[in-house]
């Protein structure tokens, strides 16, 4: 029960206001200015204006985008939210032409004037990943230089900086100690030139760090070391110790930057997070633990042993994305702190004070009718079942069915129904998408079973926008015809 505030004798209203101001300032000083990655690989995207409304309600003041799609970017106009615009990897070669880079800046940056709070342009996304086999090795740095030159010549280079978000695999440590960090041998020269350019331009180094992947890629990786509040420590030179892989990874980069001649280059963590499905260690409980530890760390502004102080961090990501590639793992579609339909997955406190509560959801989300596509087990000929299941999973999303995942406990019938239903929902509940050679049927009975949710898809904002545009165009054409008549 709250108690009334009692002032000491002689303390007047002016003193009370001063006391409240100081208290408020102290609280604000501990708030975490954390950003979030807003991806777009969803079959049914939510209306961007509603997403922006949710971001503002939750106090999320900066977003990182993977392209410059005017639909979400337009919703960020006049929002006051800081934006990092993205240039996809498949556009890097185009940006090697200065004229094209100039046109891109004109169209996506200066055209918005001061109405869009653009802070950074992300040129490519993890272009030096080993998995890309050098595909973007020759085009990334020239694209970076051209974009920054175009920003400078457009008169906005002082406040908008170009950078390249990189995966943590661009640097290595032979003995797994941060003090041995260095850029990967095959790109050492390129990385050295690039970080010196970033330094000269006043641009930051953006790195994506994923402690979850350390755990996923090796069963021998110490479990607790993956979490910011973990207990295990490793010792490094000079008596420095590390209690979690995030700090150790970050300082490995710091050492690599020092060896490259730019010891004070600003570092931004462009992506960090924890998935909630698609693997035995990807669940809500562990995701909540990870974010809780990370946000508390950020609030303390303690930094890392080699870089104490405030850290600039973007959480990955905003929503689950059912169209993402699952080549790295089934968890790829489950990084969101919000579900596909804009609901928070777990309680968290973005200020890092540990006062966890559910974040505000995206308002006004509309759903398709309460219909599910399920396996018709009365069908006698089931010979075509394997092929249809394979098709449903390849074209839909079965990532929750794997070992240790949220829907791992289903029986055979429900497993098949889950696969069929996910495809059916992604196809906007088209009755033709619930045929599967006569093996399926549509029902209005909720098919969810054994703690596994069979979701109803949302009405895609993209489809709604297209329909609205079509109606508007039709109305305009009708009006024109009436005038002509």
């Amino acid at each position: 029960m709250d108690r009334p505030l009692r002032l000491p004798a002689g303390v007047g209203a002016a003193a009370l206001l001063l006391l409240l101001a100081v208290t408020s300032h102290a609280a604000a000083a501990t708030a975490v200015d954390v950003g979030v990655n807003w991806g777009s690989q969803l079959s049914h995207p939510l209306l961007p204006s509603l997403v922006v409304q949710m971001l503002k309600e939750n106090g999320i003041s900066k977003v990182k985008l993977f392209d410059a799609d005017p639909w979400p970017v337009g919703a960020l106009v006049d929002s006051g939210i800081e934006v990092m615009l993205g240039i996809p990897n498949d556009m890097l070669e185009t940006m090697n032409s200065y004229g094209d880079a100039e046109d891109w800046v004109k169209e996506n940056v200066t055209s918005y004037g001061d109405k869009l709070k653009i802070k950074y342009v992300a040129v490519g996304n993890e272009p030096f990943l080993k998995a890309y086999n050098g595909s973007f090795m020759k085009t990334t740095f020239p694209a970076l230089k051209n974009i920054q030159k175009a920003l400078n010549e457009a008169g906005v280079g002082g406040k908008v900086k170009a950078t390249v978000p990189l995966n943590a695999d661009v640097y290595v440590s032979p003995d797994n100690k941060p003090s041995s960090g260095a850029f990967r041998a095959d790109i050492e020269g390129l990385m050295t030139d690039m970080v010196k350019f970033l330094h000269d331009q006043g641009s930051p180094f953006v790195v994506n760090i994923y402690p979850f992947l350390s755990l996923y890629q090796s069963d021998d990786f110490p479990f607790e070391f993956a979490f910011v509040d973990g207990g295990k420590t490793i010792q490094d030179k000079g008596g420095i110790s590390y209690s979690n892989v995030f700090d150790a990874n970050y300082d490995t980069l710091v050492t690599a930057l020092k060896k490259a001649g730019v010891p004070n280059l600003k570092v931004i963590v462009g992506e960090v997070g924890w998935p909630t499905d698609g693997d035995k260690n990807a669940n809500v409980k562990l995701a909540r633990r990870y974010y809780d530890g990370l946000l508390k760390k950020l609030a303390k502004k303690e930094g890392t042993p080699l870089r104490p102080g405030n850290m600039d961090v973007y959480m990955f990501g905003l929503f689950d994305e059912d169209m993402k590639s699952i080549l790295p793992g089934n968890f790829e579609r489950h990084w969101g702190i919000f579900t596909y339909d804009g609901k928070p997955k777990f309680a968290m406190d973005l200020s890092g004070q540990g006062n966890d509560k559910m974040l505000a959801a995206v308002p006004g989300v509309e759903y398709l009718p309460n219909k599910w596509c399920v396996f018709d087990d009365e069908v006698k000929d089931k010979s075509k079942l394997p092929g249809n299941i394979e098709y449903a999973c390849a074209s839909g999303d079965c990532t929750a069915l794997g070992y240790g995942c949220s829907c791992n406990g289903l029986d055979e019938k429900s497993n098949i129904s889950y696969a069929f239903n996910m495809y059916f929902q992604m196809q906007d509940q088209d009755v033709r998408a619930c045929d599967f050679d006569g093996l399926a049927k549509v029902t209005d009975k909720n098919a969810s079973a054994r703690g596994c949710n069979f979701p109803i898809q949302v009405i895609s904002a993209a489809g709604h926008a297209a329909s609205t545009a079509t109606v508007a165009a039709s109305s305009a054409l009708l009006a024109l015809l009436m005038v002509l008549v």
Side-chain angles (χ1 to χ4, degrees), residues 368-389:
L368 295 172
N370 285 334
K371 293 180 182 178
W372 292 263
C373 178
V374 297
F375 172 48
D376 186 354
D377 58 353
E378 293 182 2
V379 173
K380 290 183 171 56
D381 183 7
K382 298 180 176 64
S383 61
K384 294 183 178 180
L385 194 53
N388 278 284
I389 294 172

